[in-house]
Amino acid sequence: MPGLLSGLLGIIALPPTDLTLAGLVWLVPWLSRVNRPRYERIVNALLSIGLPLGYALGPLLSGETAAVLAALCLAMGPFALVGAMVADADGQTSGQRIILCLGVLCLLLSVVRQFGMPLSLSVFAPVSGAHLQLVRAGGLIAADLLIAGFQCLLAVAVIRVSTRQWQRRKALLRVSLATTTLILPPLLVQLTSQTGQRFPTRTIAVVQTDLKPWERDRASADGMLERIRARQARLQRTAQALGADLVVWPESSAPGYLSPAWSAGEASGLRHFRHGYRYASPGSVASVVRAQRAGGDVRLWPKHRPIPFAESYLATLGKPEMSTTPTAAGLMPLICSDASHPRALRAVTDADTGLIINPTNNAYLGSPFLARIHQRAIHRATARAGLPTLVVANGGPSALLHPDGRQETLLGAYEQGVARVTVTPRRMGIALPGIALSGLIAVSLGMQILLADGRIAAARARHCRWRMIGWLLILPTFTLMNGLAQPSMLIAQAQADIGRPPTAPAGTMAIHSPEAPHRGSIALLARTFGLAVDWRDVPEDPERASEWLCRKTGLRLPETPIGAVAAPALGFYVSSDGPQAVRWIPGGEPVAWDAASGEFQPVAPAAVRWLTTAESSDQCRPAAMPACKTDGTGRCADRPITSKTNAFTRQAWRSR
């Protein structure tokens, strides 16, 4: 099956094998059989792209099913369409038609990238100075067109030699001539490249944490948050000792929500760039990078383009709070997938940016190779802006990517540590006018069309239609098997089982206060913000306790109860024993913590007083805790708890 061979070539062009030379010919087996019937061409096209996609996205399927299925459909659609268009129903076509249809594929892939999926032919190809300089001058679509032209002519040569239309010597001569014309544009662009705007030299301390998913999920348990904070305190002291100008932390390194900007800041004179999640109100959480100096100003940069489905719960806070411009030194944070999104990068290109800081967290998403695939994609995407990119990853690897193709690995995968790197940001430019580059590419592609001239007769169908379509069963089978195999490889490489927490139940003594339930509930909410406190740190007086919570985390009860809400959300469930802290995470249901009995139990959203974030410390005043109306037995008159038992929810908490 030619489609199966193309798919396998696409896989070996990706990490960990990194045989990127295969990425220059991975579509040739599929294209060399485009003179087959339409249904066979479409099956081969789907296999060609479906296998690499299943390899890269299969491990994410169990956790982000909707996002993965949407990405698969979005990426496979252009290949299926081109497979149908490249010849007539029987398979009769021409060399010109093949090349033009691959040009349409490149245009469709540029549309796919606008939706945030960094798919291009360049991702499979070797990285080099000439390649990235071409991307800088003409964008990914220019590089894709030349790569597609080369593979098209190879495929046409295979078809014509196999049908005895060309002799092997004639085919070799035409392929050599075509290769020469395709190499000229990137070489000329590289020769005319130049260094543009320079920025001040900066010494940066790159902190690579190794915070595992189950550690973050159980951060509220006894001792877990304290251990995380102790590890990160050691990393921070190491960063301080390196004498750097600033410290950069990875995505999701904060073990809880970020406190408001007006609350206590970093205990350091250095500027820290730290990613976290800002809670504003139920259903309104923003992914931000906060730059803060002790006693100084605070700036926030949001995630501009949340991933559809997977990050649908993210929102952007009010524009007055957020920054969309770089620092005075030309530093611009772009969170995770934003660094490969064309619209986010376009805003960076227009700004006075010298270095992109890319905090990311994809080492523990099910595949040990996804982080390297992410780096490869953003290396090509950020080359369009002509800017170096500093990738700071939780779980690693962290690296400095240069627009000329160089890559400096700072810290390896699945380790924690601090690396010191000195960067002199500079924006790469191209002296070659855009119209001249467009003309060169047009001449190169015109030469491919001229060399591929001629009709290609349809080949006789050899397989039953349903037998061919049955080959498509390989795609879901391979994707599911890959989704099972790669997590096991990740466990072996990371030397930790990311799917299961330790077998010991999560301790709750830090938030279990039978004599004063409000203190345990408030302690749980404080620990949700990464504060290593227990119920004894919470004031005994309920009104003072609510003020303490507000000043520490910014959480406050609005004067008017909130009606319709969505996850993520924090609040208080009102019971006869006192207020119970409620946490509602995306994909779950609201769960209340009864600090008196030491049990978790699901509650109905309508029974919860939801919390919002204070805009300033002036709004943090002593306030009465929420209370309920009681009936004749002393219990709340309305206690809409769901039918699940406490034993069930207690087990759910222990298995998190």
Side-chain angles (χ1 to χ4, degrees), residues 188-201:
L188 187 57
V189 167
Q190 188 176 28
L191 292 174
T192 58
S193 64
Q194 59 187 11
T195 301
Q197 185 179 3
R198 294 176 181 265
F199 295 83
T201 300

PDB file of all heavy atoms in Angstrom, residues 188-201:
ATOM      1  N   LEU A 188      19.608  31.703  -2.473  1.00  0.00           N
ATOM      2  CA  LEU A 188      19.700  33.142  -2.710  1.00  0.00           C
ATOM      3  C   LEU A 188      19.193  33.925  -1.505  1.00  0.00           C
ATOM      4  O   LEU A 188      19.759  34.960  -1.132  1.00  0.00           O
ATOM      5  CB  LEU A 188      18.907  33.510  -3.967  1.00  0.00           C
ATOM      6  CG  LEU A 188      19.049  34.964  -4.457  1.00  0.00           C
ATOM      7  CD1 LEU A 188      20.505  35.295  -4.727  1.00  0.00           C
ATOM      8  CD2 LEU A 188      18.213  35.193  -5.706  1.00  0.00           C
ATOM      9  N   VAL A 189      18.127  33.429  -0.878  1.00  0.00           N
ATOM     10  CA  VAL A 189      17.610  34.086   0.318  1.00  0.00           C
ATOM     11  C   VAL A 189      18.640  34.053   1.438  1.00  0.00           C
ATOM     12  O   VAL A 189      18.857  35.044   2.145  1.00  0.00           O
ATOM     13  CB  VAL A 189      16.297  33.407   0.769  1.00  0.00           C
ATOM     14  CG1 VAL A 189      15.921  33.850   2.169  1.00  0.00           C
ATOM     15  CG2 VAL A 189      15.172  33.749  -0.197  1.00  0.00           C
ATOM     16  N   GLN A 190      19.325  32.915   1.584  1.00  0.00           N
ATOM     17  CA  GLN A 190      20.335  32.813   2.640  1.00  0.00           C
ATOM     18  C   GLN A 190      21.500  33.758   2.389  1.00  0.00           C
ATOM     19  O   GLN A 190      22.047  34.365   3.313  1.00  0.00           O
ATOM     20  CB  GLN A 190      20.838  31.379   2.752  1.00  0.00           C
ATOM     21  CG  GLN A 190      21.760  31.146   3.953  1.00  0.00           C
ATOM     22  CD  GLN A 190      22.157  29.708   4.099  1.00  0.00           C
ATOM     23  OE1 GLN A 190      22.208  28.972   3.120  1.00  0.00           O
ATOM     24  NE2 GLN A 190      22.451  29.284   5.320  1.00  0.00           N
ATOM     25  N   LEU A 191      21.887  33.908   1.132  1.00  0.00           N
ATOM     26  CA  LEU A 191      22.992  34.796   0.809  1.00  0.00           C
ATOM     27  C   LEU A 191      22.644  36.257   1.062  1.00  0.00           C
ATOM     28  O   LEU A 191      23.534  37.073   1.334  1.00  0.00           O
ATOM     29  CB  LEU A 191      23.409  34.601  -0.652  1.00  0.00           C
ATOM     30  CG  LEU A 191      24.064  33.259  -0.987  1.00  0.00           C
ATOM     31  CD1 LEU A 191      24.302  33.136  -2.481  1.00  0.00           C
ATOM     32  CD2 LEU A 191      25.376  33.105  -0.227  1.00  0.00           C
ATOM     33  N   THR A 192      21.364  36.599   0.970  1.00  0.00           N
ATOM     34  CA  THR A 192      20.952  37.997   1.173  1.00  0.00           C
ATOM     35  C   THR A 192      20.404  38.255   2.569  1.00  0.00           C
ATOM     36  O   THR A 192      19.869  39.326   2.830  1.00  0.00           O
ATOM     37  CB  THR A 192      19.875  38.368   0.139  1.00  0.00           C
ATOM     38  OG1 THR A 192      18.756  37.475   0.277  1.00  0.00           O
ATOM     39  CG2 THR A 192      20.421  38.285  -1.269  1.00  0.00           C
ATOM     40  N   SER A 193      20.509  37.245   3.471  1.00  0.00           N
ATOM     41  CA  SER A 193      20.029  37.465   4.839  1.00  0.00           C
ATOM     42  C   SER A 193      20.949  38.424   5.567  1.00  0.00           C
ATOM     43  O   SER A 193      22.147  38.511   5.286  1.00  0.00           O
ATOM     44  CB  SER A 193      19.953  36.132   5.584  1.00  0.00           C
ATOM     45  OG  SER A 193      21.240  35.573   5.728  1.00  0.00           O
ATOM     46  N   GLN A 194      20.406  39.135   6.512  1.00  0.00           N
ATOM     47  CA  GLN A 194      21.174  40.109   7.275  1.00  0.00           C
ATOM     48  C   GLN A 194      20.574  40.254   8.660  1.00  0.00           C
ATOM     49  O   GLN A 194      19.405  39.947   8.891  1.00  0.00           O
ATOM     50  CB  GLN A 194      21.171  41.466   6.566  1.00  0.00           C
ATOM     51  CG  GLN A 194      19.777  42.054   6.362  1.00  0.00           C
ATOM     52  CD  GLN A 194      19.786  43.306   5.524  1.00  0.00           C
ATOM     53  OE1 GLN A 194      20.797  43.637   4.922  1.00  0.00           O
ATOM     54  NE2 GLN A 194      18.673  44.008   5.491  1.00  0.00           N
ATOM     55  N   THR A 195      21.387  40.707   9.591  1.00  0.00           N
ATOM     56  CA  THR A 195      20.938  40.937  10.954  1.00  0.00           C
ATOM     57  C   THR A 195      20.297  42.310  11.039  1.00  0.00           C
ATOM     58  O   THR A 195      20.896  43.314  10.643  1.00  0.00           O
ATOM     59  CB  THR A 195      22.115  40.851  11.938  1.00  0.00           C
ATOM     60  OG1 THR A 195      22.697  39.562  11.821  1.00  0.00           O
ATOM     61  CG2 THR A 195      21.640  41.067  13.358  1.00  0.00           C
ATOM     62  N   GLY A 196      19.088  42.340  11.542  1.00  0.00           N
ATOM     63  CA  GLY A 196      18.363  43.591  11.658  1.00  0.00           C
ATOM     64  C   GLY A 196      18.568  44.233  13.013  1.00  0.00           C
ATOM     65  O   GLY A 196      19.693  44.377  13.505  1.00  0.00           O
ATOM     66  N   GLN A 197      17.477  44.556  13.641  1.00  0.00           N
ATOM     67  CA  GLN A 197      17.518  45.264  14.916  1.00  0.00           C
ATOM     68  C   GLN A 197      18.148  44.415  16.011  1.00  0.00           C
ATOM     69  O   GLN A 197      17.879  43.235  16.144  1.00  0.00           O
ATOM     70  CB  GLN A 197      16.090  45.659  15.318  1.00  0.00           C
ATOM     71  CG  GLN A 197      15.996  46.504  16.568  1.00  0.00           C
ATOM     72  CD  GLN A 197      14.562  46.885  16.888  1.00  0.00           C
ATOM     73  OE1 GLN A 197      13.654  46.448  16.191  1.00  0.00           O
ATOM     74  NE2 GLN A 197      14.365  47.686  17.908  1.00  0.00           N
ATOM     75  N   ARG A 198      19.027  45.034  16.801  1.00  0.00           N
ATOM     76  CA  ARG A 198      19.664  44.367  17.930  1.00  0.00           C
ATOM     77  C   ARG A 198      19.065  44.882  19.233  1.00  0.00           C
ATOM     78  O   ARG A 198      18.643  46.031  19.313  1.00  0.00           O
ATOM     79  CB  ARG A 198      21.168  44.599  17.931  1.00  0.00           C
ATOM     80  CG  ARG A 198      21.902  43.959  16.762  1.00  0.00           C
ATOM     81  CD  ARG A 198      23.376  44.332  16.785  1.00  0.00           C
ATOM     82  NE  ARG A 198      24.093  43.742  15.668  1.00  0.00           N
ATOM     83  CZ  ARG A 198      24.755  42.602  15.726  1.00  0.00           C
ATOM     84  NH1 ARG A 198      24.791  41.927  16.862  1.00  0.00           N
ATOM     85  NH2 ARG A 198      25.390  42.129  14.674  1.00  0.00           N
ATOM     86  N   PHE A 199      19.084  44.030  20.241  1.00  0.00           N
ATOM     87  CA  PHE A 199      18.555  44.377  21.552  1.00  0.00           C
ATOM     88  C   PHE A 199      19.638  44.142  22.600  1.00  0.00           C
ATOM     89  O   PHE A 199      20.610  43.426  22.355  1.00  0.00           O
ATOM     90  CB  PHE A 199      17.311  43.538  21.865  1.00  0.00           C
ATOM     91  CG  PHE A 199      16.150  43.802  20.952  1.00  0.00           C
ATOM     92  CD1 PHE A 199      16.066  43.178  19.706  1.00  0.00           C
ATOM     93  CD2 PHE A 199      15.150  44.671  21.324  1.00  0.00           C
ATOM     94  CE1 PHE A 199      15.004  43.415  18.860  1.00  0.00           C
ATOM     95  CE2 PHE A 199      14.074  44.921  20.485  1.00  0.00           C
ATOM     96  CZ  PHE A 199      14.004  44.298  19.255  1.00  0.00           C
ATOM     97  N   PRO A 200      19.482  44.728  23.785  1.00  0.00           N
ATOM     98  CA  PRO A 200      20.513  44.557  24.813  1.00  0.00           C
ATOM     99  C   PRO A 200      20.707  43.101  25.194  1.00  0.00           C
ATOM    100  O   PRO A 200      19.773  42.300  25.208  1.00  0.00           O
ATOM    101  CB  PRO A 200      19.961  45.375  25.999  1.00  0.00           C
ATOM    102  CG  PRO A 200      18.988  46.332  25.393  1.00  0.00           C
ATOM    103  CD  PRO A 200      18.407  45.633  24.207  1.00  0.00           C
ATOM    104  N   THR A 201      21.961  42.772  25.508  1.00  0.00           N
ATOM    105  CA  THR A 201      22.278  41.417  25.954  1.00  0.00           C
ATOM    106  C   THR A 201      21.655  41.158  27.321  1.00  0.00           C
ATOM    107  O   THR A 201      21.716  41.996  28.217  1.00  0.00           O
ATOM    108  CB  THR A 201      23.797  41.216  26.024  1.00  0.00           C
ATOM    109  OG1 THR A 201      24.355  41.424  24.714  1.00  0.00           O
ATOM    110  CG2 THR A 201      24.146  39.816  26.514  1.00  0.00           C
TER     111      THR A 201
END
